[in-house]
Amino acid sequence: MEPDQKPCNCEEVLAALSDYLNLDLPRESCRQIEEHLAGCPSCVEFAETLRETVRLCRQYKPSELPAPLGEEVKRQLREAYQRVMESRGGSGGH
Ligand SMILES: [Zn+2]
C-alpha cells in the first residue's frame, strides 16, 4: 500500500519544524524543510499553526535571542502533529 505518491518524511520534517520555527536550525536544514513544505500541504498547515503559536509566544517575550519552546508550546506541537497525521488519512497503527 502506498498512501502517498512521494516518499514523504513528514515525521522528521515535523519534528524539525519546532527547531526551524525557533530559528535553531542551520540554513541548510531550513532550506530542506522549506523545500518539503513546498510539496507537502499537510506540513504547511502544520507549520502555519506552529508559526502562529511561536509568534504569539515571542510577542509576550520580546528578546534578542529566540527563546526555547515552552512546555505549552510543545504540547500544542504534539496536538498539531497528531492532527496533521490524522488529516493525512494515514492509518498508522500508532
Ligand atoms: Zn510532509
Side-chain angles (χ1 to χ4, degrees):
M1 290 186 177
E2 291 179 348
D4 294 330
Q5 295 178 352
K6 304 176 186 177
C8 185
N9 51 350
C10 286
E11 293 190 14
E12 293 183 6
V13 173
L14 293 176
L17 269 175
S18 60
D19 292 333
Y20 164 67
L21 294 173
N22 211 19
L23 301 179
D24 197 23
L25 282 180
R27 282 191 177 182
E28 287 189 10
S29 297
C30 289
R31 194 172 180 182
Q32 290 180 351
I33 292 175
E34 288 177 353
E35 286 183 0
H36 180 83
L37 292 179
C40 189
S42 297
C43 283
V44 171
E45 184 178 355
F46 177 78
E48 291 298 328
T49 302
L50 259 188
R51 188 173 299 173
E52 187 69 16
T53 302
V54 173
R55 195 190 61 157
L56 290 175
C57 287
R58 284 181 181 170
Q59 285 182 352
Y60 288 108
K61 283 189 176 181
S63 60
E64 295 180 359
L65 297 177
L69 294 177
E71 292 298 327
E72 189 169 350
V73 176
K74 287 182 180 178
R75 192 189 65 175
Q76 294 183 12
L77 173 68
R78 272 190 177 184
E79 290 180 357
Y81 174 80
Q82 293 177 354
R83 203 172 164 188
V84 169
M85 285 304 168
E86 288 179 0
S87 66
R88 292 185 70 224
S91 59
H94 190 73

